[in-house]
Structures are given as structure tokens and as C-alpha cells.
Amino acid sequence: MSEYRVKKGRPIATEITVPGDKSMSHRAVMFSSLSNGPCLITGFLPSGDCLSTVDAFRAMGVRIDFLDEDEEPWIPSEEGAPGPTTLRVHGSGPRLSASSRPVDCGNSGTTMRLLSGILSGQPFTTVLTGDESLSKRPMKRVTDPLAQMGARFEAQEPKGNPPLTVHGTASLKSITYTLPMASAQVKSAILLAGLYAPGKTTVIEPEITRNHTETMLKHFRVKTVREGKAISIYGGQIPESRDFFVPGDISSAAFWIVAAAIQPGSELVVRGVGLNGTRTGILKVLLRMGAQIAEDVKSDPDDGEPWGTLTIRGGGLKGTLIEGEEIPNVIDELPILAVAGALASGTTIIRGAKELRVKETDRIAAVVSNLKQFGVNVKELHDGMEITGSEGELLKGARVPSFGDHRIAMAFAIAGLFSEGDTVISGAECVDTSYPGFAAHLRHFQSREVSSGRSTPVIDRLPGGREAAED
Ligand code: S3P
């Protein structure tokens, strides 16, 4: 088990690029695998979760080559080496081949849920397995609608947990389905199954969730139609082979964005980061709390996903209320926003976020328990929490567990930057599921050089490529 040892950080005046977006990296591999020819993916996130998706499609007969690494498998490096980020996926069309072995989805809910949709339309049987954390996560939310479309499933008690056996069929039926919870993974699983069903499949969301499946399918020339909270897809469309650039993950940048927002006088520039409006809710929350944030979108919105540069200037943060329609937009950022609330003045309330209880761990219980260790006054709610801010005072450094959850580990490493004494995060190896190189960035934010004016970019994710083109 690895651990992070964190001490109080220095004022921030730096530039950073973060590894590729996790949601987009999964989908880039999936949609290019189902396309009708070779696709070049740049900016791919070589994290544990996304490599599970690559392995899954290879097991189902798709040729995927890493173009910037001689050795495979690539092992994430504590030193921050970005790993292979350029892939050629040789799409062979929507029909896959049966895997000769169970497909291991590792820790990745996105892999298992979106694959369940795709596999529902394949006329063969596949067994999907996962690690201990994924095996506790509910899959009934995808198997219920997919069964209505005609696929059959075998899963474990109590919530249709993995291992999950998917008996796909060549004769799926289209449906109209109202989601019982706001989940982009469930929406995406149904839309992907809808590609294999004749006619129109419609998903109605209670609240708008991240729309990468829709925007990226459009990039691969597959049309979806949005009418209010309903999204429809017509079956029989074949993704066209296209290249795709994956911008940096705003959910990874969130840790440094919050670190900068907390400190009056800090300035952080984040380059090459994804700025899809269904993911930028964290910026709105931090603006409300008193940070200054400038967004500069560089990309062509008709070609792939929007991305650009963010500049964050810190102010003394004040507490806020995070609830309702905003929740799905910030769902992965709530642990780090809770840390922001703990260092703000006044009270921060998060409610309507019970989905947090079924993430890689129960993130409400984990955040509340760890904040208490840092001396924060926090009350657990059934669907969120109420945090009394420290009014800008340092927290009390603590030894806390990651609960095997990457976002908990990273959020509390940031808390350590704003704490007196030593902080230790145990079980930090889970961070490689989404942010290989986080430890190296954390060291950078603690080092003296950061305090003396703007330093060089923390990593140059795309040397000579998109980053250079931005200037
Ligand atoms: C994701 C959707 C969200 C998010 C997860 C990635 C996606 O999950 O928490 O990290 O890529 O579609 P839910 O759909 O369960 O909310």
C-alpha cells in the first residue's frame, strides 16, 4: 500500500496541464472501436480505468496500438511520466467478437456500464468482472432497462452486482425509458444499446448529466436528438472513423483549481482542459464562493469537445449551498468542494447528492469521517453534508484512509496543503485509476520554487502539440 505524506503548501503561482479526461478517454476507445476504420486518439488518459476499457475491446477482437510506448503494459509512474497518450484504434464496425475469457473492468464503473449497453446488442455471452469496489456497485440500474430491450443478465445479490453475465441478442427492441436517477453512465448504456435496436430509443433524464456520449457520437457522425430532458438515438447508425483529441480532465484539474481558489493572492493557469458545460459546474460553485475564474475556450465547438485555458485567482472563500440541478454537473467534484467548504467562512451545505453513496466508496460517509479527523465540524445528511468552515484558518493535519477511492485520496491530500502538521493519506495507490502523476504534481505544489513567481508548466502533456498551438 502506498501513502501520501503532505505538509502545508506554498502560495500558488504556476501553470499546469492535467492528464486526459477519463469520461472522454473511455468513450473515444469505445466509439472508435465500433467505427468503420482506423482512428487516432491523442491526449488519451493512460490510467487504470481507461486501460481496462482498452483491454476489454482488445479481448473482443479490436486491434488497438499504443504509438508512443515500446513496452506494454505501461505501469503508471509516481514520477509523473504521462504514459502512452496516443492510440490507433482499428475500428471494425459495431459487431464485436466474443471474448474467450471474462472481461475484467477493474475499478471502472464506466467500463462496465457502457459495455453492458454495447454487449446487449451482440449475439453472444460475455462475463464482466470487477475489483472489490466495483463488485459492490449496483448494476441493476443498467440491467433493468437493457432487459426491457431484450438482453438477459445474470448478476449477484443484492443490487445486480458484478460479476455480470450479459446474454446479448441480435434482436434488441427500442424503448423509451425514464431514468430513476441522474446518471450519465445509465443514459449512455441505453443509448449505446439503442444503436443496435431498430427505430428510436429515448432516455429521459431527471436532471441533465454530462453529455459526452452525445457530443462524441456526433463527432463520430452518429446523430442523437435532444428535446429538453429527453435524448433519442436511431438504431442502425455506424460510427465513422475519425480522429479524436482528448483534452485534460477538469475533474483532475479540480484539485488544483480548489487549492488556488482557497488562497488569497494565488494565481493558477490550467491549459488544455476540457470545458464542456455539463462538467464546468465546479467553476460556478467556486465563483459563488468568491474565487475569480476566467475561461478562455480555444477549440472549435463543432469538432469534438470544447477545451481551453482557465485562470484562477484565489480569494477568501465563503460557504455556499450546492443542490438540485447543479449536483450531476459537480458529482465527481463534491469531495474536493467539501474540502473547499471546510476552509471557507460560514456554512457549506451539499444536499440532493445521494448518488455519492454508490460511487467507488460511500463518498458522503468517507468525506464526513475524514473531515472530522481534520478537526472540521461537519454533519452527515442522508443525501449530503453540512460543513462549518474554518474561516480560512488551517485545519489539523491527520492520518486518513483513501477508502480505496481515488477522489477521496486526492481531496484529502489537498486538505493536507492547508493543514498544520503532517497529513498522511493511506491507500493512495487507487489514484492511478484516474490521475497517474498526481503524486509528482502534489510535490510540485509543496516545493519552494512555486512561491517565487510563475514556474514552468508542471507537465507538458502534449509537447509541441495543442498546448503550443494555444499561445
Ligand atoms: C461518468 C458518469 C458519472 C461519474 C463517473 C463518470 C461517465 O457517474 O461519476 O465518474 O463517464 O459517464 P454516474 O453516471 O454514475 O453519475
Side-chain angles (χ1 to χ4, degrees):
M1 275 231 303
S2 75
E3 54 185 35
Y4 292 150
R5 293 184 168 273
V6 190
K7 289 188 188 306
K8 189 165 100 54
R10 306 271 164 188
I12 293 171
T14 194
E15 296 186 2
I16 187 169
T17 60
V18 291
D21 187 274
K22 182 157 81 70
S23 292
M24 291 185 222
S25 294
H26 283 298
R27 287 161 172 83
V29 170
M30 292 179 181
F31 302 167
S32 53
S33 292
L34 302 178
S35 80
N36 57 2
C39 308
L40 188 73
I41 302 173
T42 49
F44 174 76
L45 170 67
S47 73
D49 272 14
C50 299
L51 293 174
S52 293
T53 293
V54 168
D55 286 348
F57 279 87
R58 282 177 167 169
M60 295 185 294
V62 180
R63 182 174 149 207
I64 302 177
D65 302 323
F66 286 106
L67 302 187
D68 49 6
E69 206 71 4
D70 300 335
E71 297 283 318
E72 283 186 62
W74 176 75
I75 297 162
S77 149
E78 283 265 310
E79 296 315 309
T85 59
T86 308
L87 272 67
R88 178 157 290 117
V89 179
H90 298 263
S92 48
R95 295 277 167 226
L96 300 167
S97 308
S99 171
S100 56
R101 54 176 168 81
V103 170
D104 182 4
C105 301
N107 188 249
S108 176
T110 309
T111 308
M112 189 170 285
R113 294 192 176 126
L114 271 60
L115 259 186
S116 300
I118 294 168
L119 289 170
S120 291
Q122 310 290 334
F124 53 76
T125 294
T126 310
V127 178
L128 300 176
T129 61
D131 70 4
E132 200 188 325
S133 150
L134 185 56
S135 299
K136 289 189 190 129
R137 298 183 66 187
M139 294 299 144
K140 206 167 155 10
R141 51 180 58 201
V142 285
T143 58
D144 276 353
L146 295 172
Q148 286 183 24
M149 296 178 80
R152 283 191 308 111
F153 296 90
E154 289 160 58
Q156 318 307 311
E157 295 297 328
K159 292 182 182 159
N161 303 72
L164 181 66
T165 304
V166 187
H167 302 283
T169 168
S171 49
L172 278 188
K173 297 186 292 286
S174 52
I175 55 168
T176 293
Y177 190 78
T178 302
L179 292 179
M181 75 295 288
S183 165
Q185 292 178 353
V186 182
K187 168 181 72 177
S188 301
I190 301 167
L191 291 176
L192 290 172
L195 266 185
Y196 296 88
K200 182 180 176 185
T201 294
T202 301
V203 183
I204 301 160
E205 323 190 76
E207 273 128 21
I208 292 186
T209 63
R210 66 187 65 194
N211 66 0
H212 301 302
T213 294
E214 299 91 302
T215 54
M216 289 180 63
L217 281 176
K218 181 175 170 214
H219 178 81
F220 286 91
R221 304 298 189 243
V222 171
K223 241 177 86 179
T224 59
V225 182
R226 177 173 279 280
E227 290 160 293
K229 288 184 174 163
I231 311 108
S232 304
I233 193 165
Y234 283 92
Q237 303 181 73
I238 297 176
E240 263 182 43
S241 79
R242 300 285 312 279
D243 297 343
F244 187 81
F245 166 65
V246 182
D249 196 327
I250 192 164
S251 299
S252 297
F255 300 104
W256 314 118
I257 293 173
V258 166
I262 289 168
Q263 289 178 345
S266 66
E267 185 180 317
L268 175 70
V269 177
V270 187
R271 294 197 185 278
V273 66
L275 294 174
N276 177 318
T278 61
R279 296 282 300 284
T280 51
I282 180 168
L283 307 178
K284 292 198 184 79
V285 174
L286 290 172
L287 281 167
R288 243 177 17 238
M289 294 178 81
Q292 288 177 47
I293 301 177
E295 238 181 285
D296 185 8
V297 180
K298 302 277 189 189
S299 54
D300 170 1
D302 290 329
D303 184 27
E305 286 267 354
W307 58 273
T309 302
L310 290 174
T311 305
I312 298 98
R313 291 191 181 84
L317 296 185
K318 53 182 193 298
T320 190
L321 171 64
I322 311 172
E323 63 171 355
E325 290 190 347
E326 197 165 46
I327 293 290
N329 198 313
V330 294
I331 192 76
D332 289 343
E333 287 67 72
L334 289 172
I336 186 63
L337 283 170
V339 170
L343 285 148
S345 58
T347 304
T348 293
I349 299 172
I350 298 171
R351 61 182 182 219
K354 69 175 192 304
E355 275 295 299
L356 284 181
R357 296 213 183 261
V358 290
K359 295 293 178 190
E360 284 82 333
T361 188
D362 175 343
R363 286 186 179 160
I364 295 179
V367 167
V368 168
S369 157
N370 282 3
L371 282 178
K372 283 184 178 159
Q373 296 300 310
F374 277 81
V376 178
N377 182 359
V378 53
K379 188 169 138 206
E380 181 167 345
L381 310 175
H382 77 280
D383 60 351
M385 64 197 79
E386 203 174 308
I387 304 155
T388 307
S390 72
E391 309 286 329
E393 294 300 313
L394 291 176
L395 306 180
K396 212 162 48 83
R399 167 177 269 278
V400 291
S402 68
F403 295 89
D405 183 322
H406 51 134
R407 299 203 198 279
I408 300 295
M410 291 187 275
F412 285 92
I414 302 300
L417 293 177
F418 297 94
S419 297
E420 230 156 1
D422 291 343
T423 289
V424 179
I425 315 291
S426 61
E429 61 284 345
C430 55
V431 166
D432 284 335
T433 62
S434 72
Y435 196 159
F438 176 81
H441 289 187
L442 183 62
R443 274 198 294 279
H444 182 89
F445 279 90
Q446 296 208 289
S447 66
R448 283 189 175 278
E449 67 195 278
V450 187
S451 61
S452 54
R454 181 171 300 167
S455 61
T456 49
V458 175
I459 51 166
D460 196 3
R461 195 166 68 86
L462 300 167
R466 301 275 183 151
E467 293 304 307
E470 262 190 74
D471 294 322

